[in-house]
Structures are given as structure tokens and as C-alpha cells.
Amino acid sequence: MRIDKSIRKKLDNNNHSVFSLNYHLVLIIKYRRKVIDDEISEFLKEVFIRIAPDYKAELKKWNHDSDHVHVLFKAQPDTVLSKFINAYKSASSRVVKRAYPELRKHLWEEYFWSRSYCLISAGGASLEVIKEYIEKQGMD
């Protein structure tokens, strides 16, 4: 398969493939408790940065609101996203409650994160552009 050099520069690669896998992840605090401030967000971000390489992932952008975080990250084709996200949620929940014991009074039970999350693939092109590109293949 031949890929234009200008496109290849924007892609990641391993031994057998080139790829660009970017994801937008939203994690919500259990019961939407408003417990995230700048300091706690930075702490949660550092946990993400520590865990990500174990799952062949890399943080690209991080931001927060008082009851959720937004994460843009890159991954590889063999990254098992659900395992990575669950490992992050478990580890970060444990260490943030240890580092900030005052959080426990705002949370019910032992949970920090909601069980659910939002994960959206974040590509560089819209679906319409990709559809058009595919439709035009083989027309030379």
C-alpha cells in the first residue's frame, strides 16, 4: 500500500502498519459530584500519563470541569481501550482518594468515577470527507 509522504508524516507506525488513532474520552465523577479543581485535575492527569504507556497510549490534551474530565489521547491498533480505561479509572480512583481524603465526604460509597464513560474516535477528517475519498478510489 502506498501512502502519500505528506500524509505518512502525520501517521504513527509499528512493524506492520501505519495508523492514526485518536480518541476523545469523557469521564464523569460518580453522582456528578463537583469535586475536581485545578489541583485534583492535575493529579488525575499525572496518573493518566503514568499509566498510558503500559497500554501503548499517549496523552495529547487534558481539561476538566468540576464534575468531569475531557481527555484527548492517541493509541495503537493493539490497545485494548476498555482495559486501559478501566485500569486508569481504578488506579486513579484509589490514589486520588488516598492523596485527597477530604474527597470521601463528597462521594457516596467508595466510588470516584461513574461506571459509564464516553469514548469517541477523533479523526482528522469528517466522515463525509472519508466517504468521498473512498467513493473516488479506483477511478483513475
Side-chain angles (χ1 to χ4, degrees):
M1 174 169 55
R2 299 184 74 185
I3 299 175
D4 184 88
K5 286 183 182 183
S6 64
I7 294 172
R8 179 171 268 162
K9 288 180 183 179
K10 298 176 185 176
L11 300 175
D12 297 313
N13 63 71
N14 59 24
N15 292 338
H16 305 289
S17 58
V18 293
F19 51 89
S20 179
L21 300 173
N22 296 284
Y23 299 96
H24 177 192
L25 173 65
V26 181
L27 297 174
I28 302 166
I29 301 298
K30 187 74 171 183
Y31 306 116
R32 286 271 193 185
R33 298 292 187 197
K34 297 183 182 316
V35 298
I36 302 176
D37 58 18
D38 290 344
E39 182 179 344
I40 290 173
S41 176
E42 190 61 30
F43 184 88
L44 294 168
K45 177 181 168 184
E46 291 302 319
V47 175
F48 191 96
I49 291 168
R50 271 198 328 266
I51 290 174
D54 294 340
Y55 293 87
K56 299 178 184 174
E58 176 187 354
L59 177 67
K60 300 309 285 179
K61 190 73 176 168
W62 180 281
N63 206 345
H64 73 279
D65 203 338
S66 61
D67 62 356
H68 65 279
V69 297
H70 288 269
V71 185
L72 179 64
F73 70 96
K74 291 172 60 170
Q76 293 195 12
D78 57 347
T79 300
V80 180
L81 296 172
S82 61
K83 285 186 179 182
F84 168 51
I85 294 166
N86 287 330
Y88 170 72
K89 287 170 61 178
S90 177
S92 62
S93 176
R94 188 172 47 256
V95 297
V96 77
K97 288 184 293 187
R98 190 178 313 135
Y100 298 92
E102 66 275 11
L103 289 176
R104 291 182 183 273
K105 66 184 172 190
H106 299 286
L107 303 169
W108 296 344
E109 303 171 14
E110 289 297 310
Y111 301 105
F112 183 76
W113 299 110
S114 170
R115 286 183 58 202
S116 58
Y117 57 85
C118 175
L119 182 65
I120 303 167
S121 61
S126 70
L127 288 176
E128 290 307 313
V129 169
I130 294 169
K131 286 178 186 176
E132 184 178 327
Y133 174 80
I134 291 171
E135 286 173 7
K136 291 182 178 179
Q137 296 306 297
M139 296 183 150
D140 297 9

